[in-house]
Amino acid sequence: MAKTKGKSGPLARRPDNSAFKQQRLPAWSPMLTANTVLPFFYLMALICLLLGVWLLLTVQSTQEMKLDYTEAGACSKCFEKRKNVSNAAQACSCTVVFSTEKAFKGDVFFYYGLRNFHQNLRRYMKSKDDGQMLGRRMNLKNPTSYCEPYARDPNGLPIAPCGAVANSIFNDSFILKYHGAGVAARRVPLLRTGITWYTDKNIKFRNPSTENQTLAEAFEGTTKPPYWRSPVYELDVRDPLNNGFINEDLIVWMREAAFPNFKKLYGVLDRAEEPFTSGLPAGSYSIDISYNFPVQYFRGRKEVVLTTLTWFGGQNHFLPIAYLITSGLIFLLAVVLTVVWWKFGKDGKNMEA
Amino acid sequence: MSFFGLDCVRKKEREQERKLRANDREYNLPFRYATNAIKTSKYNFFSFLPLNLFEQFQRIANAYFLFLLVLQVIPQISSLSWFTTVVPLVLVLSVTAAKDATDDINRHRSDNQVNNRKVQVLIDRKLRSEKWMDIQVGDIIKLENNQFVTADLLLLSSSEPLNLVYIETAELDGETNLKVRQALPVTGDLGGDMEKLADFNGEVRCEPPNNRLDRFTGTLTYAGQKYPLDNEKILLRGCTLRNTEWCFGLVLFAGPETKLMQNCGRTTFKRTSIDRLMNVLVLCIFGFLAFMCTILAIGNYFWELHKGTEFTIFLPRPDGNDAAFSAFLTFWSYVIILNTVVPISLYVSVEIIRLGNSFYIEWDRKMYYARNDTPAEARTTTLNEELGQIKYVFSDKTGTLTQNIMTFNKCSINGKSYGDVYDYTGQRLEITEHTETVDFSFNPLADPRFMFHDHALVEAVKLENPEVHAFFRLLALCHTVMAEEKTEGELLYQAQSPDEGALVTAARNFGFVFRSRTPDSISIVEMGKQRSYELLAILDFNNVRKRMSVIVRSPEGKLSLYCKGADTIIYERLHQSCSKLMDVTTEHLNEFAGEGLRTLVLAYKDLDEEYFNQWKQRHHEASTTLEDREDKLDQLYEEIEKDLLLLGATAIEDKLQDGVPQTIEQLSKADIKIWVLTGDKQETAENIGYSCNLLREEMNEVFIISANSLEDVRQELRNARTCMKPAAAENSVFLPERILGKGVKVVADDVVNGEYGLVINGHSLAYALESSVEQEFLNTACMCKAVICCRVTPLQKAQVVELVKKYKQAVTLAIGDGANDVSMIKAAHIGVGISGQEGMQAVLSSDYSFAQFRFLQRLLLVHGRWSYLRMCKFLRYFFYKNFTFTFVHFWYAFFCGFSAQTVYDQWFITLYNLMYTALPVLGMSLFDQDVNDVWSFQHPQLYVPGQLNLYFSKKAFFKCALHSCYSSLVLFFIPYAAMYNTVRDDGKDVADYQSFALLTQTCLLFAVSIQLGFEMSYWTVVNTFFVLGSLAMYFAVTFAMYSDGMFLMLPSAFPFIGTARNSLNQTNVWLTIFLTSILCILPVVTYRFLMVHLCPTINDKVMFKVRQAKAMPPPPPRRARIRRTSSRRSGYAFSHAQGYGDLVTSGRFLRRPAVSRSSGFAHGRPTTGFSPMGRSAGYSPTGRPQNTKTPDVEVTSLQMYRSIRDPAL
């Protein structure tokens, strides 16, 4: 292995005297001494404490309202109705009411939530075609085999969008109404666009190129997923630009949740008009639900969530509390270590080799 | 030329008998005997790829990954894309293939070198120089002095009288004495006559090729006559021709059919104990993997049974899949996902680390020996970490511990001791290279390499002190050395033992030059005057007599008996008039012995003519009787060797290699047991034991086992045990029986108070190695600090090593320089060869080689220790990082319906081991050192944890697994809880699968990187660069792969588009990463801190010291060699064998006529540029100038019969 170098002479094979080859590279040798560890621990305890308190205050400043409407009030009849597959085509709507004691200040976000719905099953997640959703003609007509059995309908027409994910899209719709004091019920305006990641809306999902065609023509030769009521180019009847693969509800749905309990953004409060310019005022509200999505098959629950946000995101108490607990833990350990060091290690007596 | 190297397959049916005719290639051709080309390489250009791949897939790990790959292409099972396995697998295969290819190229190269050596062949009645590979069976070749024997030859004729040739067989059997081969007279008559040789058409019938070196049967038919052939007429390939100008031989076996090649068993593939442990662990991990997968499959079964069925409305099952089948598929899917517990990169990384550490050994300047330009060499790159676990070192003596240079250091003549140098205050001075040497210019015949420092002795010689003259006259007369004088005044002594050479050389320089001998006379030049002594008898040396005498008649006609021998023996035979002198001499002898010098006592007596004639008569009668000849001769010798007059004593130093005592002391401080296995005699070995600090005067006792029967050996061993540990003796009685029934059992070390040494003789060792006593022997030997086995054969050396390997769970290292150490070097876990000496056999079969024994301490205490430390750190960390990585999947299974969904992005899974974590951990394992080399030497105890396997064991592995379990819990559940139902600060999704995957993998990478930081105790710039670089690389690669461009190029391969941008700009994501990092390291830091303070290890202690010292430790105090003036033992040692007296008187060796010595010696000897080694090169086995390498002549060491070459020759 020793390389023969171009050198000659009596010391031709002498190894080089480089710090690397002689393993003498300058280095920093840290050691866990009391001088470093103990201050570090106390400092960390302090940092975690401060972070925890700060986060807790932040989270406390948000407001959240959750409403499980699966079988709530009038919806129980729809719940019963959806138990039977044969009724799938029949519409069913119900209304749930609730009231808030405090106003929701600032931007208010409207979510729908599902429990026990496994969007994270491997076969389920694979059952889609990113190429198709990118509007590629080839993939549009020839969906990947991963989409089976939702790749083609019994006539052999390709399904767009194909696969189990798109097929199982959450198709309840909500109308939130505000029953202000002495005022007639008034629809709360929700922005139904701008609820997706920019990258999803603009890059990941694209309609097939239309080139002087209507969207419907672009999708010609494909068929809708079996559970859908309307084809993909008619998902949003009010906003023609929100149709096809770039329909935002579809995009939101296609971003599969990591866990079986999840919530997805439905709309954002449009704060253009009074009395919603500063958020949702306190008072009673009702939600008209077009109850379509069946959950009883998988013993799921459905809910709506209204929440305000901070820089920290939604109302999740875990991090603040975890930081506080961690802070306490570190402090406790720091004290133990200090005692141990004081008793055993201070004089370095047991360090004599 | 075979195409696929499978020539063994179509090997012709076994040869029954070999028939060949000299000088007749046509006749020999049909037999298709092998030609002399040898092939040790494995592949050729075409066969490389298929064969190498075939070999590689025989390794379990590679086969396993191939199997995974197969699983991954099954769509129902495939939970990961195929590239996650293919990329690493291809990388691994190509790295290994590259390494194998370079190895094989080297073998091709060495084959070519051997095959292209030139030799003279008789073709078409002329001698032609041909390549070795072109030699065929039946050719007649001419060999010259110092040439290697080309193939197995039948000796035809030689330049020497009686058709003798001298060969050295060290490379074959490790015996280093010269052997004699003699040609048949009928072929010998051919001589060097080309015509006659070309006409020679003898036919040989002989045995088929075999590997028995000591046997040969065959017949030669020539001129109608049949002659039997035996081993005495055969020259085997691998031998070297010595002292023979030329010889002719007939090729009988060539190339692969030679006995040498037939003996080259496949060298056993050595593996380290870490390797073995790793294999066990990997099997355990496989078991564990199966266990996890089974749990998950069962989970999947129940999930499918309950929930999956309900979910079929959204996710219908493929036809015919029920819960059970789904569970079955899930099992395999999880096998794929969780395969990272045994990542393929483990094996690659281990190899890289070992390679790196091997390079460090080769690069080490402190293991480079400038004098003969030899750097250390790591010939095997797979054993490094085992160097940090050595428990037993088996060392050869000659050439390893000693330089095999004898110097005449001191003497005591007539009660006056010479040899020490005193300063003017009377203080004894340490003799160094700078001490002034005695000028021998008064003597034109003096050997210029001989050095002596005490001027008093020369003065005494010049003053013609009669005792001093008698002393040197004795040395010049009483020996069996032979002198050769090729040119006038240039004497070349051939002595059978270096001791004798040193003594005669000393006499030569002090003016008593032994010039030549005939069977019945010895010519010496006494102080410039030529004198011839009539040699009347040599009373030869043997091990019982421990003395030799000569009876000579001086030119004046005075009869004298000169005797030299062991002090104990001679003292019994001294005349009582010497008693006073005896006391003084005894004092000197003790002093010499205390310094580890080898002593001989010289005595003489004048004989009465009448008595001698009568004695001679009886001697003649005795030597011609048939029965009890030995006894009768002994009696006669005994009778005449009495009432001797004491002359003095000589002290010869068997020069140790530099730094041997210090090295041995260091190694024994590191709790390494050193056993010296030597072919030397007991006295010699014992003597060296003392001089190199192995045996010490302070030892409680040194046991000597020299019994001659099984029972006696057992009894002696038992006595030794009883002496060392009275309580242990009883159970030892039952020990053998109990254990024999149970098969091999590991024997624990006994703890003994006090220091003991054990010396065991070769013949006793033969009994001690028998299965019924071996345990007893091992137990006893292991209780001793030092063990010396003398008179051992090469085979016994290996047996001793095997014995220790068998019963002790300890790592052994054998170190030696000669061919006789090869067996031991091969047998031990690690073999070390001393290079740069003569003979390369030991080096060629060794795993590491360097030039000096003292480098062993650096190899073990620095390189070995670091390698072991690094490897263990690597393994601990590597298993940690992969377990953590993998376990997260396990926890996620409970949330994703056991559907074998991965937690991370597939690219992350592919690149985690290859890119994101590879360099940091490699950096740690290549650079880490707890304390630097100086401190390692300062605290040899740092070596002990390695011997006890403390850094990596099953327990440590289990700890790793627990630690990873904790980390993976943190790494999964903290992000889970933190992201649960959370959204981005603009209300959009951040709890989706892709964001969660990104978060978890980022947390994981931070956690393992920080953990690495805590493992590392030596942060170099490179480490910092690797760690930070890998993190930076992670982000760069992640952002690149989640970019628009990549997605648009391959939508299905890069579906994570935008995840990094949308998720990593969130505060809560970073707060989660921070929290997981803190929680992952918290217990580690706490645990470490507590361990350091509550029960610090030796490493902690030394590191603490280093911190306190903040600088280099003080240099170790220079220990002056302790001089012990009182000694309980005799310093006698004389490496001499019996029988040379007969040879000398028979004249068999006196083959060259001595140069006429008529002219004077006036002319000075030519001076050479040779500078002697060390203090004295009075007697150098390689009496040639260093660094001038004559290409073809490789001198091999001779222990029994050495020639003193003059550099001028």
Side-chain angles (χ1 to χ4, degrees), chain A residues 13 15 22-23 25 28 111 122 125-126 136 196-197 199 227 255-256 258-259 297 299 316 323 350, chain B residues 78 310 313 363 365 373 870 892 899 901 976 978 982 987-989 992-993 1018-1019 1048 1062 1071 1093:
Chain A
R13 296 167 69 198
Q22 303 306 317
Q23 305 198 60
L25 285 178
W28 173 58
Y111 295 90
R122 178 166 56 91
M125 284 182 94
K126 270 194 195 165
R136 300 229 159 128
T196 60
W197 288 5
T199 46
Y227 291 4
R255 184 149 285 280
E256 300 104 332
F259 294 98
Y297 302 116
R299 279 175 284 159
N316 183 331
Y323 267 109
N350 56 357
Chain B
S78 170
E310 297 159 354
I313 182 159
W363 285 335
R365 266 170 103 94
D373 191 25
R870 288 166 184 173
Y892 189 53
S899 64
Q901 178 60 281
Y976 164 71
T982 303
K988 294 170 187 173
D989 229 346
D992 63 303
Y993 167 75
Y1018 196 74
W1019 279 86
L1048 292 175
N1062 284 297
L1071 284 172
H1093 283 91

Side-chain angles (χ1 to χ4, degrees), chain A residues 119-186:
Chain A
Q119 264 200 316
N120 58 2
L121 297 181
R122 178 166 56 91
R123 282 195 301 124
Y124 180 87
M125 284 182 94
K126 270 194 195 165
S127 186
K128 63 178 178 190
D129 189 338
D130 282 319
Q132 189 190 41
M133 306 276 252
L134 193 55
R136 300 229 159 128
R137 286 257 164 222
M138 267 297 296
N139 304 63
L140 185 67
K141 297 287 164 57
N142 299 297
T144 166
S145 61
Y146 286 115
C147 282
E148 293 292 354
Y150 301 116
R152 288 169 189 279
D153 74 350
N155 305 322
L157 272 181
I159 294 173
C162 75
V165 189
N167 186 45
S168 60
I169 191 170
F170 182 80
N171 52 4
D172 285 6
S173 56
F174 309 96
I175 296 166
L176 180 63
K177 284 179 177 159
Y178 171 57
H179 306 276
V183 197
R186 142 158 214 199

Side-chain angles (χ1 to χ4, degrees), chain A residues 1-2 9-17 20-34 37-38 40-41 44 47-48 51 55 66 109 111 115-118 120-126 130-131 134 136 149-150 164 168 194-197 199-200 203-204 206 227 255-265 293-294 297-299 309-314 316 318-319 322-323 326 329-330 333 337 340-341 344-345 348 350-353, chain B residues 75-79 303 306-307 310-311 313-318 333 355 358-360 362-365 368 370 373 375 378 381 863 866 870 892 895-897 899-901 927 929 939 972 974 976-989 991-996 1014 1016-1020 1022 1044 1047-1048 1051 1055 1057-1059 1061-1062 1067-1068 1071-1072 1074-1075 1078-1079 1082 1085-1086 1088-1090 1092-1094 1096 1098 1100-1101 1103-1104 1107:
Chain A
M1 271 163 55
L11 302 177
R13 296 167 69 198
R14 182 161 67 175
D16 296 340
N17 191 14
F20 167 64
K21 288 191 172 180
Q22 303 306 317
Q23 305 198 60
R24 278 189 277 107
L25 285 178
W28 173 58
S29 304
M31 200 185 165
L32 298 179
T33 58
V37 171
L38 296 181
F40 174 77
F41 266 54
M44 275 297 154
I47 290 177
C48 288
L51 270 175
L55 291 182
K66 265 188 194 162
F109 297 82
Y111 295 90
R115 299 186 150 263
N116 213 9
F117 186 91
H118 281 269
N120 58 2
L121 297 181
R122 178 166 56 91
R123 282 195 301 124
Y124 180 87
M125 284 182 94
K126 270 194 195 165
D130 282 319
L134 193 55
R136 300 229 159 128
Y150 301 116
S168 60
I195 56 175
T196 60
W197 288 5
T199 46
D200 284 357
I203 295 141
K204 195 173 182 187
R206 280 182 205 171
Y227 291 4
R255 184 149 285 280
E256 300 104 332
F259 294 98
N261 303 336
F262 56 88
K263 66 182 183 193
K264 287 186 179 290
L265 192 53
F293 198 73
Y297 302 116
F298 55 92
R299 279 175 284 159
L309 296 180
T310 61
W311 57 269
F312 180 63
N316 183 331
F318 174 77
L319 273 184
Y323 267 109
T326 308
L329 195 67
I330 298 176
L333 287 176
L337 294 193
V340 166
W341 170 71
F344 297 98
N350 56 357
M351 277 303 190
E352 266 145 42
Chain B
Q76 284 80 15
I77 289 175
S78 170
S79 45
W303 193 88
H306 294 111
K307 292 205 174 160
E310 297 159 354
F311 207 68
I313 182 159
F314 295 117
L315 186 66
R317 291 195 186 124
S333 300
L355 191 69
S358 305
F359 272 118
Y360 283 135
E362 299 193 342
W363 285 335
D364 196 338
R365 266 170 103 94
Y368 166 79
D373 191 25
T381 56
H863 289 286
W866 281 348
R870 288 166 184 173
Y892 189 53
F895 293 86
C896 67
S899 64
Q901 178 60 281
F927 293 106
Q929 36 183 283
H939 295 276
F972 178 74
I974 297 285
Y976 164 71
M979 288 299 114
Y980 186 78
N981 266 348
T982 303
V983 290
R984 272 158 56 100
D985 54 3
D986 57 1
K988 294 170 187 173
D989 229 346
D992 63 303
Y993 167 75
Q994 294 186 339
S995 305
F996 180 74
F1014 279 101
M1016 217 150 22
S1017 47
Y1018 196 74
W1019 279 86
T1020 64
V1022 189
D1044 310 348
F1047 175 73
L1048 292 175
I1057 174 185
T1059 312
R1061 274 171 282 172
N1062 284 297
T1067 328
N1068 54 0
L1071 284 172
T1072 312
F1074 182 61
L1075 184 64
I1078 289 185
L1079 284 177
L1082 193 61
V1085 178
T1086 312
R1088 296 254 168 103
F1089 187 84
L1090 287 179
V1092 166
H1093 283 91
L1094 291 181
I1098 177 75
D1100 294 329
K1101 287 175 182 169
M1103 281 163 87
F1104 183 76
R1107 282 189 83 82

Side-chain angles (χ1 to χ4, degrees), chain B residues 583-623:
Chain B
D583 292 342
V584 185
T585 310
T586 307
E587 229 169 78
H588 291 156
L589 280 171
N590 286 344
E591 203 173 301
F592 297 157
E595 290 169 33
L597 301 175
R598 308 160 71 138
T599 56
L600 283 177
V601 171
L602 312 185
Y604 80 106
K605 111 183 207 193
D606 291 329
L607 290 175
D608 178 34
E609 186 82 36
E610 199 172 315
Y611 170 73
F612 175 71
N613 282 337
Q614 179 235 352
W615 181 84
K616 191 161 189 200
Q617 188 60 39
R618 284 191 287 144
H619 177 252
H620 182 74
E621 276 164 25
S623 54

Side-chain angles (χ1 to χ4, degrees), chain B residues 384-570:
Chain B
N384 296 13
E385 72 270 7
E386 197 131 84
L387 289 175
Q389 299 185 279
I390 306 291
K391 182 79 191 161
Y392 290 89
V393 167
F394 298 92
S395 174
D396 175 40
K397 193 204 80 137
T398 314
T400 306
L401 296 178
T402 64
Q403 302 178 8
N404 204 21
I405 296 177
M406 301 290 166
T407 54
F408 179 84
N409 247 16
K410 289 182 186 175
C411 58
S412 157
I413 304 173
N414 199 23
K416 188 169 182 328
S417 166
Y418 298 95
D420 281 319
V421 185
Y422 299 90
D423 64 8
Y424 46 86
T425 59
Q427 201 74 30
R428 185 147 64 175
L429 292 177
E430 190 76 17
I431 292 174
T432 64
E433 289 186 30
H434 308 293
T435 314
E436 194 195 346
T437 57
V438 172
D439 177 22
F440 288 108
S441 58
F442 71 92
N443 180 0
L445 286 168
D447 185 331
R449 284 166 296 161
F450 181 83
M451 286 193 190
F452 203 74
H453 298 94
D454 189 359
H455 293 271
L457 189 53
V458 188
E459 295 309 312
V461 172
K462 285 182 178 166
L463 290 174
E464 307 205 348
N465 180 327
E467 282 86 10
V468 174
H469 275 204
F471 181 89
F472 285 116
R473 188 176 295 125
L474 188 154
L475 289 182
L477 291 172
C478 177
H479 55 78
T480 55
V481 174
M482 270 170 300
E484 228 182 275
E485 198 167 2
K486 279 198 176 164
T487 49
E488 187 71 43
E490 277 166 25
L491 279 170
L492 184 86
Y493 285 153
Q494 292 195 320
Q496 64 137 323
S497 74
D499 306 64
E500 254 195 348
L503 291 176
V504 179
T505 308
R508 166 181 173 182
N509 277 44
F510 283 103
F512 288 78
V513 187
F514 166 63
R515 201 84 200 274
S516 68
R517 70 157 79 236
T518 65
D520 46 16
S521 75
I522 297 173
S523 302
I524 62 173
V525 179
E526 272 181 27
M527 303 307 286
K529 282 199 293 287
Q530 177 85 38
R531 283 162 73 89
S532 182
Y533 285 81
E534 191 184 342
L535 179 62
L536 298 169
I538 293 183
L539 282 56
D540 199 10
F541 178 88
N542 74 26
N543 279 334
V544 182
R545 284 165 43 79
K546 293 187 180 172
R547 63 188 185 270
M548 75 168 286
S549 307
V550 290
I551 300 172
V552 293
R553 193 195 302 274
S554 70
E556 291 80 31
K558 205 170 81 178
L559 269 179
S560 315
L561 179 142
Y562 291 110
C563 178
K564 68 179 181 197
D567 45 3
T568 47
I569 303 282
I570 304 267

